[in-house]
Amino acid sequence: MDNSEEYVLQVFRRAQSMLEGDVKPEHVAYLLKLGQKFAHTSDLRTEVVCLNFIQGFAKAGIAFEWLLARSKRDTEFSLEQFDADVQLLYDAVIDAFNADTFDPFTWDDAPVPGTEAATVQALPEPDWNNIPSAVSDTIPVSVASDVFDTPPFVDLLDHPMLLTVRRLADSAAVFDKKPMAERAMSLAVLKMMAKNVVDMARPQNKVVISGTFSEIASILEAIERKGLVKDPNITKIITQLGTMLSFALHDASSGIRYMQEISEFIHESKETKLK
């Protein structure tokens, strides 16, 4: 493991010691199995990705990924930050165990990432006859029906990018439904995921993808910097971005056109609502 993985493992060990007394008795064995899995792996990142394929644990997976990315960038240690990170993982994991969607599992049999096609097929087909009015003003109907020469959006993404974009889209699309107390953290996670897409796209020379998600990260960073995360108008921007990405993931028409539409939406939002 590298230093960032070792740090996250130490954070989780502390969180696990707190969780053992707080999770339901019937879930303690699963918590211990999770701890053993993390302790014995030589690649914590792979194990964290697997969390996203276990029912009820997607939010916990995002929290682990966010912490791994941040600890890789920020190598300075402070006890205050460590305690805050412990609380972050404690909250994410206990929420997963207590969620209605929690499904008991055996870690040795945990699902592993499948193919791109399988992931795309798992996405529900949107109802194109009931496109929300807020989105229909931004995405012309022709984008949802015409077949353009360039590949669909999903064809522009490799498997890791597809998983990240899907989580980003799903989380952003329901941002307006998140409790106020959770929005700052949710915004930080969305920004991290957008930057992760950029980091994956650049080495592959996927210029349009890296450019679009750089803009997404930029507007999210501006919202965070200006302290506008609870502003209703700004909330609509984040939710609409998620909805637009969701439509792009489902549609078989031009992915480039969708990226252009999203870039134009971001530019207009910055000019009219973030000044």
Side-chain angles (χ1 to χ4, degrees):
M1 292 187 184
D2 62 25
N3 289 338
S4 64
E5 291 179 310
E6 288 286 358
Y7 173 78
V8 173
L9 186 58
Q10 291 300 322
V11 171
F12 176 70
R13 283 172 177 159
R14 177 71 64 83
Q16 182 184 0
S17 68
M18 297 162 56
L19 286 159
E20 286 175 13
D22 293 343
V23 298
K24 298 174 183 177
E26 62 268 29
H27 293 163
V28 172
Y30 297 116
L31 174 65
L32 295 176
K33 187 69 174 179
L34 173 59
Q36 291 170 4
K37 196 77 171 176
F38 283 177
H40 295 143
T41 185
S42 60
D43 184 359
L44 184 60
R45 282 180 172 78
T46 297
E47 298 298 339
V48 165
V49 168
C50 287
L51 286 176
N52 297 292
F53 296 87
I54 297 172
Q55 188 172 353
F57 272 73
K59 181 179 176 182
I62 289 173
F64 273 97
E65 288 185 65
W66 179 84
L67 186 54
L68 277 168
R70 201 215 65 215
S71 59
K72 193 172 183 66
R73 293 193 302 269
D74 183 6
T75 56
E76 293 186 8
F77 175 84
S78 76
L79 188 56
E80 275 189 7
Q81 186 62 64
F82 180 81
D83 289 342
D85 292 339
V86 169
Q87 189 64 47
L88 167 69
L89 293 190
Y90 172 91
D91 290 342
V93 175
I94 201 166
D95 283 353
F97 278 115
N98 290 338
D100 293 337
T101 54
F102 173 73
D103 185 25
F105 57 88
T106 301
W107 272 95
D108 290 336
D109 299 326
V112 296
T115 62
E116 265 189 39
T119 304
V120 175
Q121 288 172 2
L123 296 169
E125 180 65 24
D127 183 356
W128 293 111
N129 295 319
N130 291 296
I131 298 176
S133 58
V135 178
S136 60
D137 292 339
T138 307
I139 307 178
V141 176
S142 60
V143 175
S145 56
D146 290 351
V147 177
F148 297 95
D149 293 333
T150 56
F153 180 49
V154 292
D155 288 353
L156 303 175
L157 309 171
D158 64 17
H159 187 63
M161 278 192 280
L162 178 62
L163 294 176
T164 304
V165 172
R166 182 188 178 190
R167 293 197 297 273
L168 172 57
D170 289 348
S171 183
V174 296
F175 191 84
D176 58 344
K177 296 179 175 61
K178 296 181 185 295
M180 287 291 183
E182 295 181 11
R183 291 189 183 182
M185 178 61 189
S186 295
L187 179 65
V189 172
L190 290 173
K191 182 181 70 173
M192 178 273 292
M193 287 191 285
K195 288 183 175 181
N196 283 351
V197 175
V198 175
D199 291 342
M200 289 185 280
R202 280 177 176 162
Q204 300 180 46
N205 201 30
K206 295 181 181 288
V207 179
V208 175
I209 299 298
S210 64
T212 302
F213 281 84
S214 289
E215 292 177 2
I216 292 173
S218 174
I219 193 171
L220 296 176
E221 195 164 49
I223 292 168
E224 187 178 58
R225 186 176 63 253
K226 294 174 182 288
L228 299 173
V229 68
K230 295 181 180 179
D231 185 314
N233 291 325
I234 301 304
T235 297
K236 289 179 182 178
I237 292 174
I238 298 172
T239 302
Q240 190 162 331
L241 273 173
T243 305
M244 294 171 76
L245 284 170
S246 294
F247 277 113
L249 285 168
H250 290 94
D251 195 16
S253 64
S254 171
I256 301 296
R257 172 63 70 87
Y258 270 110
M259 296 302 95
Q260 291 173 342
E261 294 286 345
I262 289 171
S263 294
E264 290 169 9
F265 172 70
I266 290 172
H267 177 75
E268 181 184 345
S269 298
K270 282 185 172 181
E271 288 295 312
T272 59
K273 297 178 181 177
L274 286 178
K275 279 194 169 182

